[in-house]
Amino acid sequence: MAVFKGAGVAIATPFNEDGSVNYDEFKRLIDFQIDNGTDAIIVCGTTGESATMTEEEHMEVSRFCIEYVNKRVPVIAGAGSNCTKTAVDLSIDAAKAGADGILSVTPYYNKATQDGLVQHFTAVAKAVDIPIILYNVPSRTGCNIQPATAAKLCKEVDNIVGIKDATGNLAQTTKMMQLAEGAVDLYSGEDGLVVPIMSLGGLGVISVLSNVAPAKTHEMCQKALDGDFAGATRIQLEALPLIDALFSEVNPIPVKAALEMIGFKAGPLRLPLTSMTEANRVVLEKELKKFLA
């Protein structure tokens, strides 16, 4: 069984003005997602600013989300690190807290070999008994899980079940799916490629867009799952101008600005991330209003 099918939100973490986590607003964000059809919540990922959290904060935010969601939808906890021991510790904590799965990013900065990736992810998988979704985002990590490596891990390690593919390389994705022979639960990590990836057998998306448009993101995925690719494509194409605006600056700068625009107190970003430029903000607000109209 897949951890989830459909639209999973890579949920933003709201902060207070002093930089602490705004847990009251986090509850509002979680309820907004569930009330609007989101199929899963992915906490403490890139969009959640996990890179600037302490390990203690990371674990605390994950625990809070798991407890507050209370099994209404699956919660997948971001628990990756460029240090294998840290990734193992975060994964164990998430599993103990009741996470339904773990999102484990490729080790960044170290530039592991493919054998190093196999050993890293296998060590994480051996430490827990819940499903693991690999997260391949070479534009951020400088490290790419090659198709044969992804297929090997999903075939040979029982609880490594899938991959969030944010490579933007459909040829690589296609090769991976061919080699995996049905062993990989594939999720798009690119909001602009949800329908193309689902046409290759993908089960859905782990989405930034869903933070501000959960109902439409869910609808797009559900149409594709139901075989209505014409209907899914229509939503995908309508969403592209907003998706472009949401990635006009590094994620999650634009999406936190967009959350403010629809009435949430997303709060400040933690340095080195900075506020969105006014020129890009104007475009984002226009496209947001247009798509949500």
Side-chain angles (χ1 to χ4, degrees):
M1 292 290 290
V3 183
F4 77 97
K5 293 182 180 180
V9 62
I11 199 163
T13 305
F15 294 128
N16 294 304
E17 288 304 315
D18 65 1
S20 61
V21 178
N22 184 339
Y23 285 104
D24 287 338
E25 199 66 4
F26 199 27
K27 289 180 181 179
R28 286 189 66 219
L29 281 175
I30 290 167
D31 288 336
F32 171 66
Q33 290 297 319
I34 295 172
D35 291 346
N36 282 277
T38 287
D39 299 289
I41 292 174
I42 295 80
V43 64
C44 287
T46 304
T47 312
E49 296 180 74
S50 59
T52 50
M53 289 181 183
T54 65
E55 286 179 39
E56 291 74 21
E57 278 182 315
H58 190 134
M59 292 176 177
E60 185 179 288
V61 171
S62 291
R63 287 190 209 112
F64 178 88
C65 182
I66 292 162
E67 289 172 10
Y68 186 70
V69 170
N70 194 26
K71 299 297 180 182
R72 287 178 285 170
V73 296
V75 174
I76 295 98
S81 173
N82 67 326
C83 168
T84 302
K85 183 182 183 305
T86 302
V88 166
D89 289 345
L90 290 170
S91 299
I92 290 171
D93 191 82
K96 286 180 177 176
D100 296 283
I102 287 164
L103 184 69
S104 194
V105 72
T106 49
Y108 38 86
Y109 188 78
N110 306 50
K111 291 194 170 182
T113 63
Q114 295 302 298
D115 182 59
L117 292 176
V118 169
Q119 293 192 41
H120 170 85
F121 288 123
T122 301
V124 173
K126 284 181 176 178
V128 296
D129 59 2
I130 60 174
I132 294 169
I133 298 171
L134 309 178
Y135 180 15
N136 196 21
V137 58
S139 64
R140 281 187 178 267
T141 64
C143 184
N144 184 21
I145 307 175
Q146 295 294 336
T149 304
K152 175 183 173 69
L153 284 163
C154 289
K155 282 181 172 181
E156 296 181 4
V157 184
D158 287 345
N159 59 328
I160 296 181
V161 300
I163 191 164
K164 175 186 176 182
D165 187 321
T167 63
N169 184 340
L170 286 174
Q172 175 173 312
T173 308
T174 303
K175 184 64 176 176
M176 179 186 69
M177 293 301 278
Q178 181 250 323
L179 293 173
E181 300 176 308
V184 173
D185 290 343
L186 173 64
Y187 300 95
S188 177
E190 301 268 358
D191 282 309
L193 293 175
V194 179
V195 175
I197 280 182
M198 292 188 74
S199 76
L200 294 169
L203 300 182
V205 62
I206 296 176
S207 171
V208 175
L209 173 67
S210 192
N211 277 280
V212 292
K216 287 196 173 186
T217 309
H218 167 80
E219 183 185 4
M220 172 172 58
C221 292
Q222 191 60 53
K223 284 182 180 296
L225 289 169
D226 291 342
D228 179 9
F229 278 94
T233 298
R234 175 182 54 78
I235 299 171
Q236 176 80 89
L237 297 180
E238 287 176 358
L240 276 178
L242 175 56
I243 292 166
D244 288 343
L246 285 169
F247 290 92
S248 59
E249 296 182 28
V250 69
N251 179 47
I253 291 173
V255 76
K256 291 195 88 171
L259 283 167
E260 295 277 350
M261 291 171 190
I262 63 170
F264 288 97
K265 298 174 183 176
L269 296 128
R270 289 181 172 179
L271 285 171
L273 298 183
T274 54
S275 298
M276 195 173 193
T277 63
E278 188 57 32
N280 286 332
R281 184 185 294 272
V282 168
V283 174
L284 174 62
E285 189 163 19
K286 181 188 79 170
E287 296 301 344
L288 185 63
K289 286 178 179 176
K290 181 179 175 183
F291 186 66
L292 297 180

